[in-house]
């Protein structure tokens, strides 16, 4: 069963002393080392770090795409594998990864058409209506468009709708807006916050943009590069209702400066 | 709104192709006349045209068996190739052990294999069908193995996050990724199946375009030889075009280049 004991109920993801090493023929690359981090239920936590600091690796361990070399990772009180099999995890990749031969709506339906039937029962909830999800991400009128007919931002929104269709309790996002221009990215950030509030999903959001991390998160975890270690976590005490103008407030700038200090402190070591 | 532009584009391309053909015929006629080439080597276009119309019945009677052999071989060869490719995709071990066999079969010279097959299978349709199938098998096999594997590692990860089965990945991703490769393969196969059937008929046959070619050559009926070649290539072209049309109807999600 996935139901966690009462004391842990508020912890969605628990990472304890995680290390990940990639071994090829001759070399061993340590991507992550000694990472300990808890993600609370319904939290939006950003993982901030420079390129090569193991951000994607961390998400991939949580999603059971690669195994941990050492340490313990628990998702919703069980193993990452059990959470994945229960369809409790949604994943948004950096480059949308839509199937080009499926229209937007059919891409959103894909998760409902694969895997075991018991996914529905195990995730404890109903499945979302694909059409409503497309409306939610603002693409209700592009349901029958093929990916090549959509802009990069639209594709990413389809990918988010697809990740939400099984009503996952945990949503992992790997630089989902990294390839978008700043204007689109800020619009997508606001939309993501709205979706997060409306769905109550726990979100782990990977980025290497400080301002994106501050704008979105309740908490930021900063990783240092090679090997990736946790430089620290940073609470973001900004009002829940985040308007674009918030980026110009002194509070926002102060948190951004703290994040930068953590990043640079990590890089110097 | 798009179809009008499409139509105009198709018309323009058709005109360009037609003028190319007309130019080729004019050049042919000019070379034959200017250099006074012996008509039993290269007949003038008029003679070939007279053969095409005059021997039309004979040409069609002999196209029919060749077409049957080519189409049957085409079907068998491609179905086999796709089946083998599916097995290869599901088992690297099988692929590693049997792919060299496929390569070896491919390197056997057709003109050497054909007589052996005629000895084995007799003088009827069977050896021609087998050779046409052999001609199509390898290119389709290679293309389909590539096609089934033409999905990104990220797509594989996407399916894993959804806890999808291997069958899900195959039917919902690999087959679609392979479709453009399949049509490329079928286009190659359409021409090689016709070539295979004709060459097989050279070895031993009493009907078919290959038989007609051999006969016309020995009897110095050069215009008939040429009109047979033209019928053979028109038939292959028809197959090729049909496959292109089906491709456009099926692969709707790709940009047409
Ligand atoms: N499959 C793999 N095999 C070998 N090494 C890998 C593999 N995946 C990641 N690495 C290595 O692990 C380290 C961390 O990679 P990772 O992709 O997690 O970084 P990242 O923080 O996501 O970087 P970016 O911001 O560029 O996406 C890098 O040094 C990378 O080379
Ligand atoms: Mg990454």
């Amino acid at each position: 069963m996935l139901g966690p004991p009462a004391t842990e109920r508020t912890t969605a993801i628990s990472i304890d002393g995680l290390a990940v090493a990639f071994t090829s023929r001759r070399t061993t690359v340590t991507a992550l080392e000694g990472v300990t981090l808890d993600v609370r239920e319904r939290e939006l936590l950003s993982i901030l770090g420079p390129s090569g600091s193991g951000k994607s690796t961390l998400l991939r361990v949580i999603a059971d795409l690669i195994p941990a070399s050492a340490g313990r990772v628990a998702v919703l009180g069980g193993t990452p594998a059990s959470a994945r099999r229960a369809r409790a995890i949604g994943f948004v990749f950096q480059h949308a990864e839509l199937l080009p031969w499926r229209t937007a709506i059919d891409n959103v339906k894909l998760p409902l058409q694969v895997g075991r039937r018991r996914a529905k029962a195990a995730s404890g909830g109903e499945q979302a209506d694909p059409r409503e999800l497309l409306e939610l991400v603002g693409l209700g009128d592009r349901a029958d468009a093929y990916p090549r007919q959509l802009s990069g931002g639209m594709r990413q929104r389809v990918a988010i709708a697809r990740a939400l269709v099984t009503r996952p309790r945990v949503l992992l996002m790997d630089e989902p807006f990294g390839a978008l221009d700043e204007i689109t990215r800020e619009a997508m950030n606001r939309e993501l916050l709205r979706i997060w509030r409306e769905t109550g999903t726990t979100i782990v959001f990977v980025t290497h943009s400080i301002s994106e991390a501050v704008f979105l998160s309740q908490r930021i975890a900063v990783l240092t590069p090679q090997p990736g270690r946790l430089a620290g976590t940073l609470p973001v005490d900004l009002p829940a209702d985040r308007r674009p103008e918030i980026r110009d407030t002194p509070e926002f700038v102060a948190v951004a400066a703290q994040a930068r200090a953590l990043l640079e402190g990590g890089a110097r070591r | 709104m798009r179809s009008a532009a499409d139509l105009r584009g198709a018309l323009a391309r058709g005109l360009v192709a037609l003028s190319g053909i007309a130019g080729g015929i004019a050049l042919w006629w000019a070379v034959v006349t200017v250099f006074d080439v012996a008509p039993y080597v290269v007949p003038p276009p008029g003679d070939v045209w007279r053969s095409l119309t005059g021997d039309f019945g004979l040409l069609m009677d002999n196209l029919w068996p060749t077409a049957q052999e080519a189409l049957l071989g085409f079907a068998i060869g491609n179905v086999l190739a796709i089946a083998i490719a599916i097995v290869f995709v599901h088992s690297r071990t099988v692929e590693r052990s049997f792919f060299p066999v496929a390569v070896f079969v491919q390197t056997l010279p057709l003109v050497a294999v054909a007589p052996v097959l005629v000895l084995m299978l007799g003088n009827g349709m069977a050896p021609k069908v087998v050779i046409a199938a052999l001609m199509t098998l390898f290119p389709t096999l290679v293309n389909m193995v590539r096609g089934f594997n033409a999905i990104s590692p990220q797509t594989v990860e996407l399916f894993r996050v959804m806890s999808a089965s291997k069958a899900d990945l195959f039917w919902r991703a690999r087959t679609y990724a392979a479709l453009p490769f399949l049509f490329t393969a079928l286009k190659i196969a359409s021409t090689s199946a016709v070539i295979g059937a004709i060459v097989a008929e050279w070895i031993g046959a009493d009907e078919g375009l290959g038989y007609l070619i051999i006969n016309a050559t020995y009897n110095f009926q050069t215009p008939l030889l040429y009109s047979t070649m033209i019928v053979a290539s028109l038939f292959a072209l028809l197959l090729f075009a049909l496959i292109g049309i089906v491709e456009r109807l099926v692969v709707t999600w790709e940009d047409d280049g």
Side-chain angles (χ1 to χ4, degrees):
Chain A
M1 260 312 286
L2 283 164
T7 46
E8 281 177 31
R9 198 172 291 279
T10 52
T11 303
I13 302 167
S14 166
I15 300 162
D16 190 9
L18 172 68
V20 177
F22 294 104
T23 314
S24 62
R25 257 162 289 157
R26 265 180 222 164
T27 52
T28 296
V29 177
T30 308
L32 287 172
E33 203 170 64
V35 174
T36 297
L37 177 72
D38 279 1
V39 184
R40 292 189 295 268
E41 210 145 347
R42 303 176 75 96
E43 185 176 25
L44 203 167
L45 175 116
S46 282
I47 296 174
L48 182 64
S51 189
S53 55
K55 305 183 295 294
S56 299
T57 304
L58 183 57
L59 280 199
R60 286 149 52 89
V61 173
I62 298 171
D64 187 39
L65 292 175
I66 49 172
S69 307
R72 210 183 63 91
V73 176
V75 181
L76 301 170
T79 62
S82 70
R84 173 176 65 79
R85 280 196 292 269
R87 306 293 290 275
I89 298 175
F91 204 113
V92 179
F93 296 87
Q94 180 165 2
H95 300 287
E97 302 304 337
L98 301 181
L99 300 183
W101 47 84
R102 283 180 173 238
T103 57
I105 187 76
D106 286 335
N107 265 291
V108 175
K109 286 176 184 167
L110 177 69
L112 304 178
Q113 298 165 341
V114 300
R116 302 189 189 101
R117 289 279 160 267
R118 73 183 164 89
K120 190 174 172 182
S123 64
E126 290 294 290
Q127 299 162 343
D129 175 12
R131 285 217 173 254
E132 276 173 22
L133 275 177
L134 272 187
E135 303 273 347
L136 181 73
V137 297
L139 285 176
D141 54 339
R142 302 306 304 273
D144 297 320
Y146 282 104
R148 71 173 161 89
Q149 300 168 320
L150 299 173
S151 73
M154 292 173 174
R155 280 181 219 162
Q156 213 48 268
R157 282 187 270 171
V158 175
I160 292 171
R162 177 180 63 192
L164 290 172
V165 76
T166 50
R167 292 246 162 105
R169 288 167 68 190
V170 173
L171 183 60
L172 307 175
M173 308 181 83
D174 191 354
E175 293 187 41
F177 312 135
L180 304 182
D181 62 90
E182 200 175 326
I183 299 167
T184 313
R185 175 192 276 226
E186 288 183 2
M188 297 292 294
N189 282 345
R190 257 173 295 148
E191 259 182 84
L192 178 63
L193 280 180
R194 181 173 58 81
I195 292 167
W196 173 61
R197 273 194 301 270
E198 284 177 29
T199 57
T201 314
T202 307
I203 297 182
V204 182
F205 188 95
V206 162
T207 180
H208 50 221
S209 157
I210 294 175
S211 107
E212 188 175 41
V214 178
F215 183 79
L216 287 175
S217 322
Q218 297 190 302
R219 214 151 50 98
I220 302 172
V222 179
L223 289 182
T224 65
Q226 262 137 24
R229 289 179 215 263
L230 197 64
T233 60
L234 190 69
V236 182
D237 291 320
L238 294 173
D241 179 29
R242 296 188 186 174
R243 301 167 184 286
E245 308 85 71
I246 204 172
R247 290 190 172 83
D248 303 322
T249 62
E251 292 84 357
F252 187 98
V253 175
V255 180
Q258 281 176 285
R260 188 180 302 280
L262 268 179
L263 265 178
E264 284 170 359
R268 231 176 289 128
R269 249 180 298 165
Chain B
M1 40 174 192
R2 242 199 84 185
S3 57
D6 271 7
L7 197 67
R8 211 170 309 140
L11 264 174
R13 260 173 290 147
L15 277 178
V16 170
L18 270 183
S19 58
I21 293 171
I25 293 175
L27 189 70
W28 168 11
W29 179 82
V31 167
V32 169
T33 318
V34 171
F35 296 99
D36 202 17
V37 181
Y40 63 86
V41 179
V42 182
D47 288 12
V48 176
W49 178 252
R50 267 187 294 283
S51 161
L52 267 176
T53 49
D55 300 328
F56 188 73
L58 178 72
L59 285 166
M60 287 304 118
D61 285 349
N62 285 286
L63 170 62
W64 180 234
T66 307
Q68 278 180 298
E69 295 153 8
L71 287 176
L72 208 57
F74 176 84
I76 294 173
N78 284 307
V79 167
L80 260 179
I82 294 168
I84 297 172
I86 291 174
V87 174
F88 279 7
V89 168
H90 285 87
S91 166
R92 292 311 303 266
T93 340
V94 175
E95 181 178 0
R96 289 216 187 88
S97 46
F98 280 93
F99 197 72
V101 179
V103 174
F104 173 71
V105 170
Q106 169 68 10
T107 56
L108 290 174
L110 181 62
V111 280
V113 179
V116 178
L117 284 170
V118 171
L119 284 178
M120 280 163 55
L121 301 169
N123 222 3
M125 250 177 82
K128 287 95 178 178
V129 172
V130 170
I131 286 177
L134 278 180
M135 288 282 288
T136 62
L137 185 98
F138 190 76
T140 304
L141 175 61
V142 173
N143 267 293
M144 288 311 281
V145 168
R146 276 191 60 191
F148 284 131
N149 287 317
I151 53 171
S152 65
Q154 286 77 23
T155 302
V156 178
E157 288 200 331
L158 168 70
F159 275 72
R160 185 170 157 92
V161 171
M162 301 187 295
S163 287
S165 63
K166 267 191 143 189
D168 284 327
L169 184 65
F170 184 80
W171 290 111
R172 300 187 190 277
R174 289 188 192 279
T175 49
Y176 288 91
L179 275 177
F181 290 81
L182 174 65
F183 283 106
T184 304
L186 292 184
K187 284 178 184 165
I188 300 171
S190 66
T191 52
S192 45
V194 175
I195 296 172
I198 289 175
V199 172
E201 285 167 352
W202 290 354
I203 309 300
D206 37 31
E207 55 178 356
L209 294 180
Y211 161 81
L212 209 56
I213 287 173
I214 295 288
N215 255 6
T217 309
Y218 286 140
N219 299 332
F220 293 100
Q221 293 169 299
T222 317
L224 179 60
L225 177 63
Y226 276 64
S227 57
T228 310
M229 292 196 308
I230 289 170
V231 167
S233 95
L234 283 181
F235 176 69
L237 211 65
L238 179 73
L239 267 186
F240 189 95
L242 280 178
I243 293 162
I245 290 170
V246 176
E247 177 177 20
R248 276 170 166 262
L249 294 177
V250 172
V251 188
T252 49
W253 58 87
E254 289 218 324
D255 284 314
D256 17 35

